[in-house]
Amino acid sequence: MRTLGLDQPQPSITHVPSARSRSVRGLLVLVPLLVGCMIVSMGAGAMSMSPAQVVSILLAKVGLPPLAAFTDQQAAVIHAVRLPRVLMGALVGAALAIAGAALQGLFRNPLADPGLLGVSGGASLAVAAVTVLKVHFLGLHTQPVAAFGGSLAAILLISSLSRGHGRTQVATMLLCGVAINALCLAGTGLFTYLSTDDQLRTLTFWQLGSLSGARWETVSTLAPLVLVCAVGVTLLSNPLNALMLGESNASHLGISVERLKWQLVTLVALGVGGAVAFSGMIGFAGLVVPHLIRICLGPNHRVLLPLSALLGATLLVLSDLVARTVVIPSELPIGIVTALTGAPFFLYLILRQRRLPVA
């Protein structure tokens, strides 16, 4: 399949020491960056706290001596409000980024992401349907179950439409994804039109993306979904590297290409469905983050997938920090922040790549 837009260098699947070195370098940068962003984010807000106070509150929870004095009210704010919100932002960012990296590898197309393929659209349609039809058969878990069902249904429909002669055509799958995504967005628009004033407000803010609904219950529900998605996709790094050489070459290397496609789309539907259910539609994380890692550390999926998850988590934590502090006491939808920062940066990446000399 001919890729659209950016050209990708061929991966080196045999240079294991180099890949391991790049992974270590990436981890040494991204892990402290993510932890630092989480601490700063927990300390920022209407009740401001220093990083030392935030760390002290977290240490006190596990019985370690504090680094700085803090009040019971500050501890209550961290434990009940800000810590679950920061954790949820990290989980959502990790899910969207690693899903985007996996889909770009599967389709060998740098423009592929969960939104383009219809995964997010299917989840959005399902959540809009259960909201407007007042379906609450699973209580708090209704939305994530509906979102996962919508994502999986969209993937199954796309796969069945693109399957011919016993094989799934990747190019046809991508085009079907664009069409199914358009249908899902039309269905979401129809449910929005039929909604009451309260439902319209809920759907509108949900579609713009927000982490304001973060609670320990939502974090505990989302975490297993994202963990299964991230670990499962990372374990498929080597088959994805082989797939970058082409389906025929991957088959000659012993890769079951059809099974790999199904494994990837199911894992992506699981992670993205859960993320979209709790945070709404957040764009550009799944598109931009893998490109950043690919530019800095190369296209090897053994490096690209786990580090995309870390950078995606960092990006969402920072975006949420901006969203809830830039217009205090109000709060911007996080989808607006990621779009305002992600779109110009993505254009910069495209223009920068066009100016590079052709090898």
Side-chain angles (χ1 to χ4, degrees):
M1 170 188 173
R2 182 180 175 85
T3 59
L4 304 174
L6 306 179
D7 294 326
Q8 298 183 58
Q10 293 298 315
S12 172
I13 60 174
T14 57
H15 201 192
V16 176
S18 178
R20 186 172 301 163
S21 174
R22 290 197 297 271
S23 293
V24 171
R25 290 206 308 268
L27 289 173
L28 289 176
V29 173
L30 290 178
V31 171
L33 181 62
L34 174 59
V35 173
C37 289
M38 294 174 76
I39 291 173
V40 170
S41 182
M42 280 188 279
M47 179 183 286
S48 181
M49 286 172 263
S50 68
Q53 286 178 310
V54 174
V55 173
S56 299
I57 292 170
L58 298 178
L59 292 177
K61 190 68 175 177
V62 295
L64 295 176
L67 305 176
F70 59 88
T71 65
D72 291 341
Q73 188 178 12
Q74 289 174 323
V77 168
I78 290 290
H79 291 308
V81 180
R82 294 186 186 172
L83 181 56
R85 180 163 183 151
V86 166
L87 290 176
M88 184 169 155
L91 290 169
V92 170
L96 295 177
I98 200 169
L103 290 177
Q104 288 170 13
L106 174 63
F107 291 105
R108 285 171 285 150
N109 190 315
L111 296 180
D113 79 336
L116 181 65
L117 192 61
V119 181
S120 300
S124 174
L125 175 60
V127 170
V130 298
T131 301
V132 174
L133 299 177
K134 300 180 181 178
V135 178
H136 305 294
F137 60 97
L138 290 176
L140 179 66
H141 302 288
T142 300
Q143 277 199 2
V145 169
F148 172 62
S151 301
L152 193 59
I155 285 289
L156 291 174
L157 181 57
I158 293 165
S159 299
S160 62
L161 290 174
S162 57
R163 192 173 178 82
H165 306 293
R167 296 182 57 199
T168 302
Q169 303 295 326
V170 172
T172 308
M173 181 185 277
L174 188 58
L175 294 174
C176 290
V178 174
I180 296 300
N181 190 48
L183 282 175
C184 289
L185 293 180
T188 303
L190 179 61
F191 278 112
T192 303
Y193 176 76
L194 297 174
S195 62
T196 64
D197 288 346
D198 289 340
Q199 291 170 339
L200 177 61
R201 181 178 175 82
T202 301
L203 286 175
T204 300
F205 279 97
W206 181 82
Q207 288 169 353
L208 291 173
S210 175
L211 300 179
S212 60
R215 305 288 184 273
W216 281 113
E217 292 82 0
T218 56
V219 172
S220 62
T221 303
L222 179 60
L225 303 178
V226 176
L227 187 63
V228 170
C229 171
V231 173
V233 169
T234 302
L235 291 176
L236 297 174
S237 299
N238 285 336
L240 265 175
N241 279 339
L243 191 61
M244 294 292 289
L245 303 174
E247 292 189 20
S248 299
N249 291 330
S251 298
H252 291 152
L253 291 173
I255 305 297
S256 175
V257 175
E258 287 300 307
R259 187 173 65 183
L260 175 62
K261 291 174 184 174
W262 280 101
Q263 289 172 332
L264 281 173
V265 295
T266 303
L267 289 169
V268 166
L270 188 67
V272 174
V276 171
F278 289 116
S279 65
M281 305 288 282
I282 299 177
F284 279 101
L287 182 63
V288 174
V289 170
H291 283 289
L292 284 172
I293 298 296
R294 196 177 287 113
I295 289 172
C296 295
L297 297 170
N300 190 328
H301 286 89
R302 295 178 62 184
V303 179
L304 178 64
L305 292 171
L307 296 189
S308 290
L310 282 174
L311 185 58
T314 305
L315 176 68
L316 256 290
V317 170
L318 282 177
S319 297
D320 183 55
L321 173 63
V322 173
R324 64 185 177 82
T325 57
V326 73
V327 290
I328 287 179
S330 299
E331 179 179 321
L332 278 177
I334 191 171
I336 294 177
V337 177
T338 57
L340 285 175
T341 56
F345 189 70
F346 191 60
L347 289 173
Y348 163 75
L349 290 179
I350 296 173
L351 295 176
R352 177 179 177 274
Q353 184 132 346
R354 284 171 58 91
R355 290 170 185 158
L356 290 177
V358 178

